[in-house]
Amino acid sequence: MKWLEHQWVTVVFLILALFIHFSQLGALSIYILDEAKNATAGFEMWQSSDWILPTFNGYPRYDKPPLHYYFFGLAYQFFGVTPFAARFFPALMGWLTVCLVYFTVDRHFGRLAALTSGVILLASVHWVIQFHLAVPDPFLIFFLTASLLFFVRHWEGNQENKSYLRWMALTLGLAVLSKGPVALALIAGTILLFFLFQKKGFWKRFKSVLDPMAIVIFLAVALPWYFLIAWKTDGVWVQEFFFKHNLSRFSAPMEGHGGGFYLTLLYVLLGMMPGSLVIVSSFRSLVVYSSVPDLVKISLIFSFLTICFFMISGTKLPNYTAPSYPFLAIVIGWLLRDGKEWERVKWPGLVGVIFLCVLPFGIYFGLKANMEYAESAYVGLYFFTGSLIGIGSVFFWFKERWVLHWVVLCLGFVSVSLMFLYLAFPVLDRKNPVISSGVEQFRELDFYHFKEFNPSFAFTLQKEIKELGSKHVGQVSEGIVILRKRNLDEFKELGYSYELIFEGRDLFESPTTVLLRIRKPDQNSKQRLEVVPNPVE
C-alpha cells in the first residue's frame, strides 16, 4: 500500500473529518433540552459579562463548571448568537480530538493504523452527533484525550524532562473546568493502575509524575474559579454541584436516567459501531495485556476504567462513556495495524452490514408507531443509503479483501450520520414547538412562564422569560405565557383572560408545550398558587 506514504492521504482525511464535524452545524435549531440550557447559559454569561456565576433565565445554574460557557461567549462575539456559534467550538473540539488520535497512532503504528483509528471515530454516529451539540462533553473529551496523550509522550520519552507532564497538567486543569472532578479521577486512576501493573518500581514512577511545577500549573488552572464561585455564592454553588450533580448522580438515578449496569455496555457497543464490534471479536487478543505496547495498555486501562466507573453509576447517559471512544479507536488502530491482522473484521463487518440494513426499518416503524411523528416516518427511507453502501461492501467480503470491505462499511455508517444531519432531522426539527409555534413573530411582547417551560424558547428569544404566578396577579397586563399543558388548569385559576395560540408536544419528549396570549387578569380572582422556584424541566 505505497499510496499510504503520500502526504495527500493525511490532508484528504483531515478535510473529510473537518467536513463531517461541521456539517449542518447552524442549520438545525438549538432544541435538545441540555443543549438549550447550556447555549442559553453561555449567552447570559456573555451578555452580562459575569464570568463567575452561570445562570439560566436569571437563575443560578449549578450543573457544570464554566469552561464551555467561555467558549460559547467567544463564539457569540465573533459569529453572533446563533446555533452555529453555539456549536462551533464543540465541533472544533471533535475535529482536534480526531487529529490527536490520528497523529498519535501514525507515530506509533503507521499510516494504515492511523487511518483506521480516525475512520472508526468518523463512522461512529454517536461521535458525530455528540460534537454537534452545545454541551460540555466535547470539551471534556478533547482535554481528557490531550492529557493522557501528553502522559504517554512523557512516559515514552526522556522522563527527566517534565515538559509533557506540565502540558498534561494544563489540559487536565481545563478538563476539570469542563465537567468537574470526574476528569481528575479518570486520569489519575488510569496512571495509577498503569503503574500498578508494571512489574516493579511503582513508588519510583509515582513520585516521578509528582512534578511540583506541574502540580502548580494544574491548581492554578483548575481551582481559582471554584474558589471565586464559592465566595460569590457563600458556598451554595459548590455544595449543589459536588453533592447533587456529582455524588447524587453517581449514587442514584437522576431525571429518570437510570438502568442496569449492562446499559452502559450497550451504549458503548451501539455508540461506537462498527468499531466496537472489532473490540468484541478481538477480546482474547486484548486480554494478553503484557504483549501489547504501552500506548495500547494505557488506552485499554482508561477505556476499562471509564466504562466500569459509569457502569456502577446510578445515573446513566450515552455521553458519559464517550471519552473512551478516542482510546478504543487507538486500540482498534493497533489491532488492524497491518494487512495480516485485517481478517479480524470478517465477522464484525458482516454484523455491521446487517445493522445498516435493519436500521431504516427500525426508524420507519419506530416513527410510524408514534402518532406525533407518523407522517414523517418516510425519513427512515433516507437511511437506505447506508444499507446500499453496506451491501456493496459485501462484494469485498466475499473476495476477502478486508481493508476495502471495512472502508466501504465505515462509509456506510458515515452516510447514516450525513443523512441524519442533512435530510432526516431537519424534517423532524420543524415539528419542535419553537419552530412550529412561530414564536419569533411575538418577540416584541413580554414573555412569561408558568412553572416549567421548554428551555429552548429562552435561546431562540434571547431574552428573559419572566416568572408568572399568583404573586404577580395584577402586575402583568399583556404578553405570551409558556407552560406545560398539565399545568394549564392551575394557570386558569389565576384569572387571566387568554387566547390559545399554540399547543404541541415537545420533540421526542413527553410534555406538551402550550403558548397563551394573556390579557389583564380578572380582579375578582382570589386564587393564590405556589410557584416552583427553579422552573426548568
Side-chain angles (χ1 to χ4, degrees), residues 65 366 388:
L388 293 174

Side-chain angles (χ1 to χ4, degrees), residues 26 30 36 38-48 72-87 440 443 456-463:
I30 296 286
N38 282 286
T40 306
F43 165 70
E44 292 183 14
M45 184 171 270
W46 169 72
Q47 187 180 48
S48 66
F72 294 168
L74 181 62
Y76 295 150
Q77 183 69 36
F78 282 101
F79 304 118
V81 185
T82 63
F84 175 84
R87 295 171 179 142
E440 294 198 56
R443 184 184 290 272
S456 54
F457 283 95
F459 181 82
T460 300
L461 295 168
Q462 297 174 21
K463 62 194 296 185

Side-chain angles (χ1 to χ4, degrees), residues 153 212 239 286 313 345 361 408 423 436 469 480 526:
R153 294 299 297 267
Q239 182 178 348
L286 299 174
S313 172
V345 307
F361 296 100
V408 175
L423 296 177
S436 56
I480 304 295
K526 297 181 180 180

Side-chain angles (χ1 to χ4, degrees), residues 41-82:
F43 165 70
E44 292 183 14
M45 184 171 270
W46 169 72
Q47 187 180 48
S48 66
S49 297
D50 181 349
W51 301 106
I52 300 176
L53 177 63
T55 62
F56 172 80
N57 201 41
Y59 290 90
R61 179 162 166 78
Y62 303 108
D63 296 53
K64 298 295 181 293
L67 185 67
H68 60 300
Y69 302 138
Y70 298 162
F71 278 101
F72 294 168
L74 181 62
Y76 295 150
Q77 183 69 36
F78 282 101
F79 304 118
V81 185
T82 63

Side-chain angles (χ1 to χ4, degrees), residues 478-497:
E478 186 177 4
I480 304 295
V481 181
I482 307 171
L483 69 157
R484 301 298 195 191
K485 186 178 181 180
R486 62 173 175 260
N487 297 322
L488 184 56
D489 288 339
E490 291 183 67
F491 175 79
K492 291 177 181 178
E493 297 178 19
L494 293 180
Y496 284 93
S497 298

Side-chain angles (χ1 to χ4, degrees), residues 53-192:
L53 177 63
T55 62
F56 172 80
N57 201 41
Y59 290 90
R61 179 162 166 78
Y62 303 108
D63 296 53
K64 298 295 181 293
L67 185 67
H68 60 300
Y69 302 138
Y70 298 162
F71 278 101
F72 294 168
L74 181 62
Y76 295 150
Q77 183 69 36
F78 282 101
F79 304 118
V81 185
T82 63
F84 175 84
R87 295 171 179 142
F88 176 82
F89 280 107
L92 184 62
M93 293 297 117
W95 182 71
L96 290 175
T97 306
V98 170
C99 291
L100 279 177
V101 169
Y102 179 88
F103 288 113
T104 298
V105 177
D106 188 22
R107 186 175 65 253
H108 283 80
F109 309 127
R111 185 65 52 80
L112 178 61
L115 285 170
T116 301
S117 295
V119 169
I120 286 297
L121 291 177
L122 298 184
S124 163
V125 178
H126 183 209
W127 177 273
V128 175
I129 293 174
Q130 180 71 70
F131 288 97
H132 273 73
L133 298 177
V135 292
D137 300 89
F139 301 91
L140 175 70
I141 293 169
F142 171 72
F143 289 118
L144 278 180
T145 304
S147 297
L148 204 49
L149 292 182
F150 277 131
F151 171 75
V152 171
R153 294 299 297 267
H154 166 75
W155 174 256
E156 295 180 338
N158 177 10
Q159 295 183 24
E160 297 300 319
N161 186 338
K162 306 297 183 182
S163 58
Y164 284 121
L165 279 181
R166 292 163 189 174
W167 280 109
M168 182 184 76
L170 173 64
T171 51
L172 182 55
L174 293 170
V176 171
L177 274 181
S178 299
K179 216 170 177 182
V182 66
L184 179 60
L186 293 177
I187 294 295
T190 298
I191 293 173
L192 289 176

